[in-house]
Amino acid sequence: MNEPIKSRREFLATVGVAGAASVLVGSSEARRGFAAEGQQKLAIDGGTPVRKTLLSSSPYGPQFYDEVEKREILEVIESRKPFRWWKGGSKVLQFEEAYAAHIGVKYALGVTSGTTALSAALAALEIGPGDEVILPAWTWYADYDTVVLAGALPVFAEIDSSLNIDPEDIEARITPRTKAIIAVSLQGCPADMGPILEIARKHKLRVLEDFSQCVGGRYEGKYLGSMGDIGISSFQQSKTITAGEGGAVVTNDPMLFERAVRAHDVGALRSPYREGLGGGQLPGFAASNFRMNEFTGAILKAQEQDLETICKAVRSNARKVRDGIAGLPGLRMRKTPDLEGDLGVTVFLDHGTRQRRDRFLRALRAEGISASSPGGSVILPIDERVENKVTVHPDWPSFNTPQGRAIRYGRECCPKTIDIQGRLGGVIMDPNFTNDDVADIVRAIRKVYLAMGAA
Ligand SMILES: *Cc1c(COP(=O)(O)O)cnc(C)c1O
C-alpha cells in the first residue's frame, strides 16, 4: 500500500482495490464510487467546494466558559482577595489539588505561564551552568529559552513523524554533562515516554515532561506529567484549558516540589506548603516571582472540570475523521505512540514531500476546510537568534563554556526535523465540530487525496 504509484490512471485503478479491501467491503458499486470520488473536479480547479464557508477550529477552553467560570470569578471579586496568600482560602490552591488528582501526581503548583513553569522545573532539577539539556529541534521557544536562562546548554535531538522527539536520536546527543531530557508532547500527541524513560534510567538523566500542548493526554493509561521526574503545562489560550495565561508544575517528588515552590516565590516556602512538606528541607535561595493570582486560579479551577469533556470531544471527532479516511491507498498518517491517549488535536497526513503537502493544503482550503502545516512550534536550530546564540549579555554562561562555544545549531543539526515538518499537514480538530462538520472534513480529504493521485 505504501509503494509509489506512477500515473493518475494507475492510481485510480489501485484505489478501487485497495480502498475496497479496507473500507468499502468490496462491492463493485463501492469500487466504482471510490474511483468516482477521485474524479470530482476540485474547488481549486473551479469545481464546487465541499463547503461554502471555511470550517476552522477555535481555542478549546473558552468555548466551555459558562456559569461555573462566572461564579468562580465573581467569588474572587466579591471576596476582595485577589492574592492567594492573603487571608487564607485560595482558588489557586483548590485548582492545584484538583489538577494533581486529575493527572495522578502528589503535587501541583500554579504559576504565571508555561515558560515560568519550565524555569521553576529546571530550578527544581538544579540545572545550571555547565549542564546540558536535550530537547526536540521542533518545539516552542520556551523549552530552549528557559534552559539558556538557567545558564545551561540546550542540545537538540531530531523529531520523528509523530512530530515529537525521536527516542532513537537521544542517545547520540548524550555527553557526560547531560543532566536532563525535555520530553515534549506536541499538538495533542503524547511523547513516546516508554523508550525516553528507559534511556534516562540507563544514563541516570532526569526527565522533564512538557505536556503544554497535550494537557489531558495519556500514554499507556497514565496521564502525561505523571511519568517524568517533573512535568509542566501551560494554560495559555491555545492549550486544552485556559485562563488566557497560566502554567503548572507537577511532580511526585517532595524535594523537587519544594525547590519549584521556592523558585516561584522569592525563595520562600509559605503555608500550607511548609506544613505539607514537613517544614521544608532546603534553605531559601535567590529566586523570582511566578505566583498565580486568584482570578487565574478561579478560571482554571472551573476549566479543570471541563478537561475530560473537551478531551473526549476532540478525540471522538478525530477518530471519526480517521475512520472516514482509513483505507485510502498509500495513506500515511502522523505517527502516534498511543492512539487512545492521543488528544486528536490534529488529523495530519504525511504527504511525502513539502511540495505535495502544500498543494494538498491549498486544495483542502479551497474546499472550505481550514488546513495547516504543523504549528505552535518553531524549528529552533534554524531560528536566527538561536542559530546565532544571542543572549542578553555577551558573557552568558550557556555559550561561554568550551562546549557552548563549540556547539553548532543551524540546518546541519536537524535535517530530519526540517524534512518531517515540511511533509506533514492536515486539519486541526475542534471539540465542537458537529457530525456534519466532521463528514465535510472526511469528504474534502478524500476528494482532494484521490484527485491528486500520485506525486
Ligand atoms: C505554550 C507552550 C509553552 C509555554 O507556555 P506559555 O504559557 O506560553 O509560557 C511551553 N512549551 C510548549 C510545548 C508550549 O506549547
Side-chain angles (χ1 to χ4, degrees):
M1 291 237 324
N2 284 326
E3 269 140 48
I5 296 156
K6 277 152 212 92
S7 71
R8 184 159 180 278
R9 194 184 298 116
E10 199 186 331
F11 176 81
L12 288 174
T14 325
V15 161
V17 183
S22 45
V23 167
L24 294 171
V25 215
S27 78
S28 56
E29 303 92 279
R31 268 200 298 278
R32 274 198 299 277
F34 207 1
E37 258 186 292
Q39 278 153 358
Q40 298 171 72
K41 192 170 181 185
L42 293 182
I44 202 169
D45 298 326
T48 313
V50 169
R51 292 175 71 98
K52 287 197 186 70
T53 53
L54 190 72
L55 175 70
S56 50
S57 69
S58 319
Y60 297 172
Q63 298 184 53
F64 292 78
Y65 284 179
D66 59 14
E67 293 310 312
V68 184
E69 276 81 356
K70 284 187 197 165
R71 193 187 64 227
E72 289 290 338
I73 209 87
L74 201 62
E75 280 179 18
V76 178
I77 290 172
E78 286 171 350
S79 72
R80 298 177 193 280
K81 180 192 137 30
F83 179 57
R84 69 175 298 181
W85 274 294
W86 193 54
K87 281 189 175 173
S90 165
K91 299 285 188 195
V92 176
L93 184 64
Q94 288 165 27
F95 162 67
E96 289 169 345
E97 286 169 354
Y99 196 57
H102 199 134
I103 303 288
V105 291
K106 285 205 190 93
Y107 309 104
L109 176 72
V111 294
T112 47
S113 71
T115 305
T116 56
L118 279 163
S119 283
L122 291 167
L125 295 171
E126 295 175 277
I127 284 166
D131 297 330
E132 295 175 12
V133 176
I134 296 174
L135 73 163
W138 164 256
T139 185
W140 185 239
Y141 286 108
D143 292 310
Y144 164 88
D145 287 335
T146 52
V147 172
V148 173
L149 290 174
L153 182 64
V155 174
F156 294 109
E158 300 268 27
I159 60 167
D160 61 24
S161 66
S162 68
L163 292 168
N164 289 331
I165 195 165
D166 181 354
E168 295 193 1
D169 194 48
I170 293 175
E171 274 192 298
R173 316 274 177 168
I174 296 173
T175 76
R177 292 164 301 279
T178 308
K179 199 150 176 185
I181 304 166
I182 308 184
V184 196
S185 295
L186 290 163
Q187 282 199 298
C189 177
D192 199 357
M193 294 307 296
I196 294 172
L197 291 168
E198 202 178 300
I199 293 164
R201 264 194 301 272
K202 185 172 150 198
H203 296 273
K204 298 194 165 49
L205 306 178
R206 301 292 212 147
V207 175
L208 194 176
E209 281 188 71
D210 178 352
F211 59 108
S212 295
Q213 296 186 17
C214 203
V215 175
R218 296 184 303 262
Y219 179 87
E220 292 179 354
K222 291 189 183 130
Y223 275 95
L224 295 171
S226 68
M227 290 166 278
D229 295 283
I230 196 163
I232 76 97
S233 61
S234 163
F235 306 113
Q236 182 269 340
Q237 181 177 273
S238 63
K239 324 294 172 164
T240 323
I241 56 172
T242 186
E245 301 279 8
V249 181
V250 295
T251 185
N252 281 309
D253 183 325
M255 287 297 273
L256 294 184
F257 189 65
E258 180 177 343
R259 260 189 229 110
V261 170
R262 290 187 183 277
H264 107 296
D265 189 17
V266 296
L269 185 65
R270 300 194 212 203
S271 188
Y273 297 128
R274 194 175 343 106
E275 293 74 27
L277 290 164
Q281 308 298 313
L282 301 163
F285 51 81
S288 193
N289 163 16
F290 308 145
R291 296 182 305 252
M292 182 181 278
N293 70 63
E294 287 286 281
F295 291 105
T296 301
I299 295 294
L300 290 176
K301 182 191 164 198
Q303 284 267 283
E304 196 280 326
Q305 296 165 43
D306 296 325
L307 180 56
E308 282 312 300
T309 309
I310 297 172
C311 294
K312 275 203 192 91
V314 184
R315 260 195 203 110
S316 151
N317 281 339
R319 183 157 307 139
K320 287 178 202 157
V321 175
R322 272 200 310 268
D323 289 350
I325 62 173
L328 286 172
L331 182 72
R332 280 191 297 164
M333 302 293 294
R334 174 188 184 185
K335 192 171 91 171
T336 178
D338 187 328
L339 201 52
E340 292 294 307
D342 195 294
L343 283 192
V345 170
T346 66
V347 176
F348 277 2
L349 279 58
D350 184 343
H351 301 275
T353 66
R354 173 185 295 269
Q355 195 188 20
R356 195 178 157 78
R357 190 270 312 266
D358 291 346
R359 202 148 53 90
F360 183 91
L361 297 182
R362 272 197 306 275
L364 207 55
R365 277 181 219 123
E367 299 296 339
I369 306 295
S370 180
S372 44
S373 50
S377 290
V378 183
I379 302 177
L380 290 163
I382 58 171
D383 187 86
E384 200 179 319
R385 69 167 169 86
V386 176
E387 186 162 4
N388 296 329
K389 305 191 248 184
V390 183
T391 53
V392 294
H393 191 283
D395 296 335
W396 201 263
S398 300
F399 303 114
N400 281 295
T401 60
Q403 292 74 31
R405 276 191 292 273
I407 200 163
R408 289 282 168 273
Y409 298 140
R411 304 187 76 82
E412 300 70 35
C413 86
C414 61
K416 212 179 131 199
T417 298
I418 295 169
D419 175 51
I420 290 166
Q421 197 276 338
R423 282 187 347 226
L424 268 70
V427 180
I428 308 286
M429 300 306 296
D430 188 280
N432 281 319
F433 279 168
T434 64
N435 281 336
D436 285 346
D437 295 336
V438 167
D440 285 344
I441 296 169
V442 170
R443 272 204 294 156
I445 294 179
R446 293 175 68 94
K447 181 181 171 185
V448 172
Y449 187 90
L450 292 168
M452 271 178 62

